[in-house]
Amino acid sequence: MSDPLRLGIAGLGTVGVGVVRIVQDHADMLAARTGRAISISAVSARSRDKDRGVDLSGYAWEDDPVALARRDDVDLFVELMGGSDGPAKAATEAALSVGKPVVTANKAMLAIHGQALAELAEANAAPLRFEAAVAGGIPVVKSLTEGLAGNAITRVSGVMNGTCNYILTRMESAGLPYDEVFAEAGALGYLEADPTLDVGGIDAGHKLAILSAIAFGTQVDFDGVQLQGIQQVSIDDIHRARDMGYRIKLLGEARRTPAGIEQSMRPTLVPADSPLGQLEGGTNMVVIEGDAVGQIVLRGAGAGEGPTASAVMGDVADIARGLTLPTFGQPATTLAPATRANAVTECAHYLRLLLRDEPGALARVATVLGQAGISIDRMRQYDHPGADAPVLIVTHPCAPLDLAQALRGVIDTGVVNGEPVALQIQNP
Ligand code: NDP
Ligand code: HSE
């Protein structure tokens, strides 16, 4: 058997503790599978005194994650602190720059600094692995970089934030408004410390940008992801969508178009009887389309101690076996900057408007849409106790960019109260 692989783990929260548990509980199995003992030399977190429910007495303690990454008795640095910059980035760079492999679950850091870190890793022949950063326990990074390496990928889509899926499915099943379910999710500990990362679509956008880079051989382009959060989705939208045979999901889509790469993360109506439509609670689903394989669907737990630690350990096992791969599936220096082609793919849209209930109001909206080339497929005005009339419009397929411009014209008519809500309807 080869020399042991000695880990240094920075971050002993949900994921870090999960990794310690797997290393301790499955030592023999991991050694048998990788041909090397996997041990922990040293750990780091903010508070040394916290009881974390695992025995850390056999490991050295470092207050400073950078010092941990540089220790001679650490062969592999495991970054599980989080944050796009700060100690996570500093310690990752410290390890990579001396040729030490890094495993991380940090999607924010990879979405923003992925290219620079990948170049640093490859310049120093140090693997940088991040399966846990996207969709928790689902091995989607491995699927794309390895199993699907023979495919030209055309589209990657899916639900990549469990908290948003929990909120949207709970609103529907309990008939509760967004604010109430958001508060419930907070009380259950589902929300990130900054909840905008979840409900604003940013966390899921980070994950999509990472997958998109691997799928299309481009540099990570998080700024190129069109983001729309779920805060505007009302219980009425959920009911209207259901009446039409749809469910609303925070859906990410990255696709290759003739004009470039289109990336979006936004609430979208998906057919209720599709695999995505049937996805409940905090589960994640990623759908990949390749020219040879066709469509494959991966589904599983996108977060939590066990699932996320499982993904971290998959990367650790690969490094123990001596498996090395370029960070994003091909050498970082060959990744071209992504050409953005945002909001060009046509799709039908669901529009919810609050109209002043006066003669000609609806006609003015229809005229503005018609002048912008937006064709109405279905339209309905609902009963209303107040002065404003809720109107639902489903458009024929149109480019989101054209619709956004048309809606500015609709607002300018002065007959609409508040912001119109526009949600895409997923193309087959
Ligand atoms: P937690 O907040 O539970 O834990 C973070 C850990 O990092 C804590 O132990 C904390 O110390 C430590 N830490 C924070 N700052 C420092 C610092 N400056 N120096 C040393 N230690 C520090 O986070 P998670 O375990 O949930 O997440 C870790 C990473 O995994 C993040 O990148 C996250 O995005 C990612 N991830 C998490 C998932 C999940 O389900 N939780 C799913 C997928 C990815 P202390 O405990 O003393 O405060
Ligand atoms: N906040 C994330 C989610 C955690 O809800 O999916 C996992 O990345």
Side-chain angles (χ1 to χ4, degrees):
M1 191 165 286
S2 312
D3 289 342
L5 179 71
R6 300 165 300 174
L7 313 185
I9 304 176
L12 294 169
T14 306
V15 186
V17 164
V19 169
V20 171
R21 282 212 172 94
I22 294 180
V23 172
Q24 293 180 346
D25 294 349
H26 291 314
D28 292 343
M29 183 191 80
L30 287 164
R33 286 185 176 165
T34 64
R36 285 177 87 173
I38 294 175
S39 63
I40 299 170
S41 299
V43 293
S44 176
R46 273 180 302 219
S47 159
R48 188 169 185 169
D49 304 327
K50 206 185 267 184
D51 177 6
R52 301 175 190 274
V54 282
D55 181 8
L56 302 172
S57 58
Y59 315 139
W61 179 272
E62 289 283 356
D63 284 325
D64 176 9
V66 174
L68 177 82
R70 290 195 178 127
R71 284 176 68 103
D72 289 339
D73 60 357
V74 166
D75 304 312
L76 164 56
F77 177 61
V78 184
E79 188 286 300
L80 300 171
M81 295 176 283
S84 60
D85 292 83
K89 179 165 170 274
T92 297
E93 287 170 343
L96 294 176
S97 56
V98 294
K100 204 173 274 191
V102 173
V103 173
T104 179
N106 192 332
K107 56 253 176 178
M109 178 173 76
L110 286 158
I112 293 163
H113 303 295
Q115 180 64 22
L117 290 174
E119 286 180 21
L120 180 64
E122 286 160 33
N124 290 283
L128 168 61
R129 302 292 297 266
F130 52 86
E131 182 64 72
V134 185
I138 305 176
V140 58
V141 172
K142 216 169 172 48
S143 298
L144 270 175
T145 46
E146 297 176 52
L148 300 173
N151 286 261
I153 304 295
T154 47
R155 174 156 75 153
V156 179
S157 58
V159 167
M160 300 170 202
N161 183 278
T163 305
C164 288
N165 204 53
Y166 167 80
I167 291 175
L168 293 170
T169 49
R170 171 92 179 129
M171 283 170 73
E172 178 170 359
S173 62
L176 292 173
Y178 172 83
D179 289 339
E180 218 168 296
V181 179
F182 175 83
E184 233 180 56
L188 288 166
Y190 290 176
L191 293 167
E192 299 270 348
D194 172 4
T196 319
L197 290 176
D198 284 319
V199 295
I202 299 163
D203 169 82
H206 286 152
K207 296 167 182 167
L208 183 76
I210 293 168
L211 290 187
S212 181
I214 303 169
F216 305 124
T218 59
Q219 296 179 8
V220 186
D221 182 24
F222 170 64
D223 289 341
V225 181
Q226 302 270 294
L227 284 181
Q228 184 184 340
I230 63 165
Q231 304 97 318
Q232 269 192 307
V233 177
S234 73
I235 184 69
D236 281 346
D237 295 323
I238 287 175
H239 288 151
R240 309 279 181 249
R242 192 183 52 197
D243 292 347
M244 295 189 294
Y246 293 103
R247 297 182 82 191
I248 301 177
K249 300 286 168 195
L250 179 67
L251 186 75
E253 282 205 283
R255 65 170 81 224
R256 188 196 292 282
T257 78
I261 306 300
E262 185 171 21
Q263 304 180 79
S264 66
M265 181 60 68
R266 55 174 96 243
T268 303
L269 278 69
V270 303
D273 59 0
S274 65
L276 279 165
Q278 289 169 24
L279 196 66
E280 297 289 338
T283 314
N284 282 197
M285 182 175 284
V286 183
V287 181
I288 304 172
E289 290 165 28
D291 61 349
V293 76
Q295 185 184 79
I296 63 164
V297 178
L298 303 169
R299 177 186 188 281
E305 179 186 313
T308 315
S310 157
V312 170
M313 288 309 296
D315 284 342
V316 170
D318 272 358
I319 289 168
R321 291 172 174 131
L323 251 171
T324 52
L325 287 166
T327 312
F328 291 104
Q330 67 183 62
T333 47
T334 68
L335 295 167
T339 305
R340 293 180 192 167
N342 278 335
V344 294
T345 299
E346 296 197 346
C347 60
H349 286 80
Y350 161 104
L351 305 179
R352 173 166 55 83
L353 313 166
L354 210 48
L355 286 193
R356 290 201 341 228
D357 199 359
E358 61 186 30
L362 198 50
R364 292 186 70 186
V365 170
T367 302
V368 171
L369 290 177
Q371 282 167 346
I374 311 287
S375 173
I376 294 171
D377 178 24
R378 275 173 278 172
M379 185 160 69
R380 182 163 171 198
Q381 181 167 310
Y382 286 90
D383 293 344
H384 53 101
D388 294 327
V391 170
L392 181 131
I393 294 173
V394 175
T395 71
H396 282 294
C398 60
L401 210 56
D402 295 340
L403 182 71
Q405 202 170 341
L407 286 178
R408 283 193 286 277
V410 166
I411 292 169
D412 288 345
T413 60
V415 298
V416 175
N417 276 337
E419 277 286 305
V421 171
L423 305 177
Q424 296 189 7
I425 301 179
Q426 192 194 25
N427 283 321

